[in-house]
Amino acid sequence: MSASTDWRLRSQATYLKGVCFERAEWTPSEASDHEHCEFCWAKFADASLVQDALPGGYATADRYYWVCESCFDDFRTDFQWVCHAP
């Protein structure tokens, strides 16, 4: 993956490099009824309410940051992510 030319990269390395992620199913919270992938902006939401929404992906333990499976696979090495089972 060429970091300099990928449209999905902005400044995520400043807050996501070396972060621990875990595989998680998305659920709504008091703060939000959806989330977005930090890279491609794919939407995590209730698939029965939002067309093409992702039911889950990779999230930080506090469920603040979400990354879809495709972006996780593409960037896990460059960002030195550690993944734990839920």
Side-chain angles (χ1 to χ4, degrees):
M1 181 69 41
S2 176
S4 64
T5 61
D6 195 302
W7 66 270
R8 297 171 292 179
L9 292 173
R10 294 173 302 281
S11 60
Q12 297 99 325
T14 60
Y15 59 95
L16 289 179
K17 190 156 189 169
V19 169
C20 180
F21 280 92
E22 56 191 31
R23 185 85 174 95
E25 295 301 313
W26 180 86
T27 55
S29 67
E30 289 181 23
S32 180
D33 63 354
H34 73 281
E35 296 292 340
H36 290 274
C37 174
E38 290 295 312
F39 293 87
C40 70
W41 284 89
K43 189 178 277 191
F44 296 94
D46 185 335
S48 67
L49 300 175
V50 179
Q51 186 176 5
D52 297 327
L54 299 173
Y58 291 88
T60 52
D62 61 3
R63 302 298 190 261
Y64 189 78
Y65 296 114
W66 285 83
V67 177
C68 73
E69 288 185 43
S70 179
C71 290
F72 189 87
D73 290 343
D74 288 348
F75 298 116
R76 82 182 300 162
T77 301
D78 292 341
F79 278 75
Q80 302 169 354
W81 289 329
V82 177
C83 184
H84 296 286

